[in-house]
Structure formats: structure tokens, C-alpha cells
Amino acid sequence: MGTRSLTKIIEVYQDENKTSKQVLTTMYRQMDGYMEGHGAELADWLAEITLVNGLRVGETRKVANGAYCLAAQMFAHFKDGSGGIYLYPPGARNCGEDYIYYIYVDGSEINVWVKCTSINNYIFKGTAKEFLTKIEELCQE
């Protein structure tokens, strides 16, 4: 039996002087969803991407033009054939997941951060690079 996980892309935005959040999509991963597996792969991938607001001619960095672009790139990166990775509705929960990865995209600050929980237990919240450090520490224990 695999270690299942959900990865949610969440857009954070200012709306009438208050901060609002909207889950854009959920990716379901059938196996290897644990932190040292999917968590590390996700953090590696996110650490390489710079969030931008508008594309520039001649851009040489790996960029995502906002939350929707990041979500599309996530599926393109992880999906390599049939099975394994599935597109689930934004509010999907209770799918047998052991881990949930929340990717928050704040367009006002052009910022991305990761939150990880394990069966409703908080594990981590921070940048992708900080998440990689946390995973490395766990692997050394």
C-alpha cells in the first residue's frame, strides 16, 4: 500500500482590506507521498521557480506567472503517464492521504511558501528551501 498525499495550490490575495485564500486545485499522489519522497521532490521543484507578475522577454530564470501558472506547471512536472498523479477538486479531503502539502502563492508579495501536515498534525511551514533543510534534518535522525 502506498503513502498517499494531496498537494493544494492556494492563492492568497487582498480583498477589500482583508486577506483571502482560494484553493485552486488539488493534486493526489498515489504513492511516495511521505516527506522524504514527494515532499522533497516538491520542495526541490519549488525552490527552482521564481514567482513573477508578468513575463519578460528574454527571461532566463524558471518562472511561474502567478498561482494558476504554478499549478499548471506542477501537474506538468509530476505527471509522466497514466496513474500515480491525479487532478482532484480543490476541496478534496479524506482520500486516504497520509500527508497534505499546501503551496501558498501570495501575488501581492510575489511569494511562495509551503505547509505540510500529516493526518492533521502540523509538521512545517516556510519556504521551499527551508522545507528542504527540514527534510534533510529528518533524514539524518
Side-chain angles (χ1 to χ4, degrees):
M1 186 156 163
T3 303
R4 296 170 180 86
S5 67
L6 299 176
T7 303
K8 296 178 174 285
I9 301 283
I10 302 165
E11 183 178 39
V12 180
Y13 55 93
Q14 288 295 117
D15 185 17
E16 298 178 17
N17 298 324
K18 67 178 182 176
T19 301
S20 299
K21 298 175 187 168
Q22 176 184 358
V23 179
L24 304 180
T25 190
T26 299
M27 182 175 76
Y28 171 81
R29 184 166 179 166
Q30 183 73 33
M31 56 185 6
D32 298 332
Y34 48 88
M35 285 179 47
E36 299 88 339
H38 181 66
E41 291 175 32
L42 183 65
D44 276 337
W45 174 73
L46 281 170
E48 293 180 2
I49 294 178
T50 301
L51 189 67
V52 297
N53 183 6
L55 299 173
R56 296 182 182 155
V57 175
E59 178 66 71
T60 58
R61 302 171 297 175
K62 283 187 173 183
V63 298
N65 190 21
Y68 288 94
C69 183
L70 184 69
Q73 287 186 49
M74 179 180 71
F75 279 97
H77 176 78
F78 284 99
K79 185 71 173 166
D80 63 357
S82 59
I85 300 289
Y86 298 89
L87 173 63
Y88 272 33
R93 282 295 307 265
N94 302 318
C95 306
E97 70 273 10
D98 296 295
Y99 292 89
I100 303 176
Y101 301 93
Y102 302 88
I103 310 304
Y104 293 93
V105 180
D106 186 341
S108 63
E109 295 181 19
I110 308 184
N111 193 12
V112 175
W113 68 95
V114 180
K115 177 181 167 186
C116 176
T117 63
S118 170
I119 312 173
N120 294 322
N121 293 318
Y122 169 81
I123 296 175
F124 174 84
K125 184 175 180 183
T127 67
K129 289 180 183 175
E130 291 168 342
F131 192 37
L132 280 172
T133 300
K134 173 76 172 175
I135 293 167
E136 288 170 8
E137 289 170 1
L138 289 173
C139 289
Q140 292 174 2
E141 291 179 358

